[in-house]
Amino acid sequence: MASERLTQRVAALMLAAGYSRRFGGDKRRATLADGRSLLAASLTLPCSMLEEVWLMLRPDEAPTGMDLPTGVRVVQNAASAQGMGHSLAAGAERLLAESNADAVAIFLADMPAIHRDSLETLIAHSSANNIVLPSYRGKRGHPVLFGRDFWPQLATLSGDVGARPVLQQNPNAVRILELDDPGVLQDIDTPADLSQL
């Protein structure tokens, strides 16, 4: 019962509106060894643990052809083509308007190897007034959990530096958790990364 309460108070926002320029094609649709697309594999963890999953997609694509899990809420915004900050801002605006969660876990659509217990640990340490992020061997990773108090700041982001300005403006609220999980760092940027997964 305790774990049910934890998952109800955290939403997920997965950023999948990029254009995969380094990959050479739409990496979200790249097929893993188990037959799933990279996007589907990356959605598996948040969809299995959290009731509320939001997905940022490009403004010019139809979500119907992406074989998304039932219940995933799609956000599309013309500004997201201008960079990750714009995607985060559009997602945060929707969350502020429609979500009752206390925190949001920001996932990237090219990180399918995050362990379940890592997300459980991050959720257990999250609250409306803190920012929790994972670290592996001293390197910061994803997902980053932003308490609801910081959503208005996320909604003002722009450019392509992601949420770094919010972290820099709130150093006392940031809690870094060292986890034994290389998956919090492992993203897929090139076909070689995919083959090593």
Side-chain angles (χ1 to χ4, degrees):
M1 206 63 177
S3 64
E4 265 181 39
R5 281 198 300 278
L6 286 175
T7 58
Q8 287 174 353
R9 66 179 184 83
V10 176
L13 174 63
M14 180 167 288
L15 304 181
Y19 286 84
S20 314
R21 290 179 180 93
R22 281 181 287 178
F23 195 82
D26 189 348
K27 67 179 173 183
R28 301 168 307 169
R29 297 176 191 268
T31 305
L32 304 186
D34 64 6
R36 294 180 298 166
S37 70
L38 179 56
L39 177 59
S42 297
L43 278 166
T44 297
L45 179 65
C47 286
S48 71
M49 290 184 63
L50 304 173
E51 291 180 6
E52 188 178 331
V53 178
W54 298 80
L55 178 66
M56 290 299 309
L57 290 178
R58 301 172 190 165
D60 55 350
E61 62 189 349
T64 48
M66 302 192 81
D67 197 25
L68 298 176
T70 305
V72 171
R73 304 174 199 196
V74 173
V75 183
Q76 292 174 288
N77 186 288
S80 63
Q82 299 171 41
M84 188 185 291
H86 293 279
S87 279
L88 273 166
E93 285 174 9
R94 283 288 293 278
L95 286 160
L96 281 165
E98 298 181 36
S99 175
N100 293 318
D102 294 325
V104 62
I106 307 295
F107 287 86
L108 303 182
D110 62 357
M111 297 186 70
I114 299 163
H115 297 170
R116 184 181 184 90
D117 58 349
S118 296
L119 183 55
E120 288 172 349
T121 299
L122 294 166
I123 289 171
H125 288 90
S126 70
S127 68
N129 61 4
N130 75 4
I131 301 168
V132 182
L133 56 91
S135 173
Y136 177 69
R137 296 185 178 175
K139 291 185 179 177
R140 295 179 178 193
H142 284 87
V144 180
L145 278 69
F146 287 88
R148 190 179 190 96
D149 292 359
F150 305 98
W151 295 4
Q153 291 177 52
L154 291 174
T156 67
L157 292 170
S158 62
D160 204 27
V161 293
R164 194 176 307 138
V166 179
L167 297 172
Q168 291 169 340
Q169 291 162 20
N170 301 283
N172 295 333
V174 176
R175 182 159 187 194
I176 300 169
L177 299 180
E178 182 66 25
L179 302 174
D180 185 20
D181 180 4
V184 301
L185 301 180
Q186 191 175 13
D187 62 348
I188 308 299
D189 287 327
T190 67
D193 294 338
L194 190 65
S195 66
Q196 291 171 10
L197 187 64

